């Protein structure tokens, strides 16, 4: 089989696997069976004459040739989609920018930037999707999103080890904060001493390889008592407001805190800094993406200057 005979379906499946990181997740996103995804990947690798994906226990990783095929496949599929829109009489979508964001930084920042764009650049359409850092980096690599709004913690390593490196820009760097119930004795202070965190109850995300114990203050010298687990930040803060425990929050999430929650800095011990990072592929961005990036930077600066 010649690679020029590869079907569009195979290209779309390959892109989905590269973006989602596993055959199972790609099958769910496409509405296919896992066996159908496996057959399509087998067909495109047979046509290429080499392996395009490395199968690992935790998922798949693109080979060097796989990266080449992904870039070409994404460009070809974008052209096909553009032609389909024109044939359907739909307006050109060049003004659409796809933004990925992690909830800990984007929940308050992204709406502010989108609202500003409606005034300054009303022709630009912003679509967004929430995800983990790993999932959004894969989406950037596969062409599924144009920009990713991410959080980075010390020692501030590169977002991934693939080549070419992603272009990332630090928008702000601020200390991690603590969310406490307004009824808690600590809420009457201007800050929390790290020694006061011993023996507290915590609201955290379910353990995972990427976000282990997110919600518990880092470096505690005791086994934390986790009483509630959820990945949803609004649910975490609502549980804090109800007096169910404490949780950590990035400073950028402070404006979204509901009534009954105080956001406080923690003193003592190592400084827990968090960077707000905007990432994209190294290719020159479209003009609309540049404008969205500028709006996100402006919203981040405005947020950083606002009192907590």
């Amino acid at each position: 089989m010649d690679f020029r005979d590869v079907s569009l379906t195979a290209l779309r499946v390959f892109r989905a696997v590269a973006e989602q990181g596993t055959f199972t997740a790609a099958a769910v996103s496409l509405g296919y069976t896992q066996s159908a995804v496996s057959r399509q990947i087998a067909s495109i690798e047979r046509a290429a004459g080499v392996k395009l994906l490395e199968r690992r226990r935790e998922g798949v990783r693109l080979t060097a040739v796989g990266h080449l095929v992904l870039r070409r496949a994404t460009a070809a599929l974008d052209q096909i989609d553009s032609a389909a829109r024109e044939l359907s009489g739909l307006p050109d979508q060049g003004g659409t920018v796809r933004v990925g964001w992690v909830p800990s930084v984007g929940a308050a920042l992204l709406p502010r930037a989108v609202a500003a764009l409606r005034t300054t650049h009303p022709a630009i359409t912003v679509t967004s999707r929430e995800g983990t850092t790993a999932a959004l980096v894969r989406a950037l690599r596969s062409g599924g999103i144009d920009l990713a709004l991410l959080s980075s913690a010390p020692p501030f390593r590169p977002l991934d080890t693939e080549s070419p490196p992603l272009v990332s820009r630090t928008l702000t760097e601020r200390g991690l904060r603590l969310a406490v119930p307004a009824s808690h004795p600590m809420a009457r202070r201007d800050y929390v001493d790290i020694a006061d965190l011993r023996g507290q109850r915590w609201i955290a995300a379910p353990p995972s390889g990427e976000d282990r114990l997110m919600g518990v203050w880092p470096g505690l010298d005791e086994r934390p008592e986790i009483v509630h687990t959820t990945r949803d930040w609004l649910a975490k803060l609502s549980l804090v407001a109800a007096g169910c425990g404490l949780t950590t929050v990035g400073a950028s999430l402070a404006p979204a805190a509901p009534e009954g929650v105080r956001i406080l800095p923690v003193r003592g011990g190592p400084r827990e800094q968090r960077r707000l990072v905007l990432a994209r592929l190294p290719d020159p961005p479209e003009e609309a993406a540049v404008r969205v990036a500028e709006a996100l930077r402006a919203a981040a600066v405005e947020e950083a200057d606002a009192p907590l």
Side-chain angles (χ1 to χ4, degrees):
M1 178 180 177
D2 192 294
F3 195 79
R4 288 171 292 188
D5 296 325
V6 168
S7 69
L8 290 176
T9 298
L11 292 178
R12 293 188 192 281
V13 169
F14 176 65
R15 182 170 66 174
V17 171
E19 178 176 332
Q20 298 294 331
T22 67
F23 282 36
T24 301
V28 171
S29 70
L30 295 169
Y32 292 175
T33 64
Q34 188 167 337
S35 60
V37 168
S38 298
R39 286 195 299 272
Q40 292 296 332
I41 295 300
S43 73
I44 196 171
E45 288 188 323
R46 197 162 51 245
V50 294
K51 289 293 184 184
L52 304 180
L53 298 167
E54 294 176 3
R55 279 73 167 173
R56 301 183 175 189
R57 179 177 298 178
E58 66 273 17
V60 299
R61 180 172 177 169
L62 289 167
T63 64
V65 179
H67 280 291
L68 169 65
V69 171
L70 178 61
R71 288 196 298 271
R72 300 301 187 187
T74 297
L77 291 171
D78 285 347
Q79 289 295 319
I80 292 294
D81 291 342
S82 178
R85 286 194 298 271
E86 291 178 9
L87 290 172
S88 301
L90 295 176
D92 179 65
Q93 302 247 330
T96 296
V97 180
R98 302 159 299 172
V99 180
W101 52 284
V102 293
S104 58
V105 298
L109 181 67
L110 184 64
R112 180 180 294 183
V114 171
L117 282 165
R118 288 199 192 103
T119 300
T120 59
H121 297 86
I124 294 178
T125 298
V126 176
T127 62
S128 73
R129 56 190 274 191
E130 173 192 324
T132 64
T133 295
L136 295 178
V137 168
R138 286 196 301 267
L140 275 177
R141 291 287 185 191
S142 66
I145 58 176
D146 305 299
L147 300 169
L149 199 58
L150 308 170
S151 178
S152 178
F156 302 122
R157 296 186 179 93
L159 296 172
D160 67 2
T161 58
E162 304 295 340
S163 183
L166 295 171
V167 174
S168 62
R169 176 169 182 174
T170 298
L171 303 186
T172 60
E173 182 172 333
R174 305 177 72 186
L176 189 66
R177 306 286 172 164
L178 188 72
V180 304
S183 58
H184 197 286
M186 288 191 292
R188 294 192 288 269
R189 311 176 194 169
D190 293 328
Y191 64 90
V192 174
D193 191 285
I194 194 168
D196 294 330
L197 299 183
R198 288 184 58 84
Q200 298 292 338
R201 300 190 303 168
W202 297 93
I203 301 161
S208 72
E210 185 180 346
D211 297 329
R212 186 171 301 277
L213 290 185
M214 182 175 284
V216 176
W217 192 262
L220 286 183
D221 59 353
E222 65 176 359
R223 184 186 180 97
E225 180 187 359
I226 299 174
V227 291
H228 297 282
T229 58
T230 175
R231 295 192 187 281
D232 185 272
W233 282 96
L234 180 57
K236 284 184 183 180
L237 293 173
S238 296
L239 286 165
V240 172
C244 299
L246 315 180
T247 196
T248 59
V249 294
S252 60
L253 200 63
E259 186 177 350
V261 175
R262 280 211 69 196
I263 307 297
L264 297 171
V266 175
R267 295 187 182 178
R271 295 190 66 191
E272 292 294 338
Q273 295 296 102
R274 296 295 182 269
R275 288 178 181 172
L276 173 60
V277 176
L278 186 63
R280 63 171 176 82
L281 286 172
D283 303 323
E286 298 289 337
E287 182 66 21
V290 172
R291 299 298 171 225
V292 173
E294 290 174 349
L296 289 168
R297 285 195 291 269
V301 170
E302 180 183 345
E303 187 178 82
D305 290 341
L308 289 177

